């Protein structure tokens, strides 16, 4: 992609030449979308991250008619990526399929088991939160939403959001320590 191409030019190409426009879009913003999804889904499988990245671009493709008034295509796409990654996280946490151990793997099984144990502890702790608190926690630590925005969107004070985050970070730390993790 031409480094001097504007978002409006990219949107125009996407409308006129969908295949070329989509290729330019992935070329221009693929890295940032992957970073957002990988950060949000840290500790999840590579496949989950790749699906969230693909879903992000599909989401942009499906909403391409709504991009006309968008100031920043990059910002718009990051928002889609955050939502797709959060959706993937929620779906994986609900399903949480058991993966059989593969004893032919040369990887250090102790590290892999510890990583999976940590993920399970985090999933269980988040799942045990009351819905309002869970939403606040996910918005802050998985969607990277600012405290002020969470308070406004959830209809509560910033102080309440801060208290919820403090209380549940403490609970998560306690659960991780109980699970054998040293912090």
């Amino acid at each position: 992609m031409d480094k001097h191409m504007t978002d409006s030019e990219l949107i125009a190409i996407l409308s006129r030449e969908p295949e070329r426009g989509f290729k330019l879009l992935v070329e221009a913003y693929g890295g940032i979308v992957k970073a957002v999804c990988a950060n949000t889904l840290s500790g999840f499988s590579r496949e989950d991250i790749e699906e969230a990245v693909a879903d992000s671009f599909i989401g942009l493709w499906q909403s391409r008619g709504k991009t006309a008034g968008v100031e920043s295509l990059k910002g718009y796409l990051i928002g889609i990526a955050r939502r797709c990654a959060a959706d993937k996280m929620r779906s994986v946490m609900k399903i949480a399929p058991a993966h059989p151990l593969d004893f032919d793997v040369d990887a250090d099984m102790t590290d892999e088991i510890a990583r999976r144990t940590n993920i399970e502890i985090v999933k269980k702790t988040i799942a045990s939160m009351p819905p309002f608190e869970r939403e606040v926690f996910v918005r802050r630590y998985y969607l990277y939403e600012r405290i002020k925005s969470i308070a406004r969107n959830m209809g509560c004070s910033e102080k309440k959001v801060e208290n919820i985050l403090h209380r549940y970070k403490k609970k998560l730390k306690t659960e991780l320590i109980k699970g054998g993790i040293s912090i």
Side-chain angles (χ1 to χ4, degrees):
M1 179 178 133
D2 180 3
K3 292 183 187 229
H4 298 91
M5 185 178 292
T6 66
D7 284 349
S8 58
E9 291 171 328
L10 187 53
I11 291 168
I13 292 172
L14 196 57
S15 296
R16 286 191 322 266
E17 304 171 62
E19 286 183 24
R20 179 173 170 246
F22 198 73
K23 181 180 177 198
L24 292 171
L25 184 73
V26 171
E27 188 179 301
Y29 299 121
I32 190 77
V33 168
K34 185 172 184 176
V36 168
C37 292
N39 286 339
T40 303
L41 295 167
S42 176
F44 286 77
S45 73
R46 186 175 43 115
E47 291 81 16
D48 291 333
I49 294 168
E50 289 171 0
E51 283 180 30
V53 170
D55 290 346
S56 300
F57 284 105
I58 291 169
L60 179 66
W61 177 260
Q62 291 172 338
S63 68
R64 67 188 181 280
K66 299 175 186 175
T67 58
V70 172
E71 281 186 38
S72 167
L73 189 56
K74 178 180 175 182
Y76 186 72
L77 188 53
I78 287 172
I80 292 172
R82 285 181 176 165
R83 282 188 297 280
C84 288
D87 289 346
K88 173 53 74 178
M89 180 180 59
R90 281 189 287 269
S91 72
V92 169
M93 288 175 67
K94 283 181 186 172
I95 299 169
H99 297 287
L101 290 175
D102 184 356
F103 291 104
D104 297 327
V105 176
D106 292 329
D108 184 0
M109 291 304 290
T110 304
D111 288 345
E112 180 62 20
I113 292 169
R115 186 185 70 77
R116 287 184 184 189
T117 301
N118 293 350
I119 290 170
E120 287 305 313
I121 291 169
V122 170
K123 285 179 187 178
K124 285 178 185 173
T125 303
I126 292 172
S128 72
M129 293 177 184
F132 185 85
E133 286 80 355
R134 181 175 43 239
E135 181 75 16
V136 167
F137 197 85
V138 168
R139 282 176 178 256
R140 179 67 178 150
Y141 296 114
Y142 290 96
L143 301 179
Y144 309 110
E145 195 172 328
R146 295 179 184 268
I147 290 173
K148 189 175 195 170
S149 174
I150 295 169
R152 184 180 61 247
N153 292 330
M154 299 289 293
C156 63
S157 70
E158 290 179 40
K159 189 66 176 169
K160 181 174 181 176
V161 170
E162 290 170 354
N163 287 338
I164 289 169
L165 294 173
H166 176 74
R167 186 170 50 249
Y168 284 97
K169 277 194 321 189
K170 209 170 170 180
K171 180 178 180 181
L172 181 58
K173 181 179 178 181
T174 300
E175 293 301 317
L176 286 169
I177 289 171
K178 273 198 247 178
I181 308 307
S182 59
I183 298 177

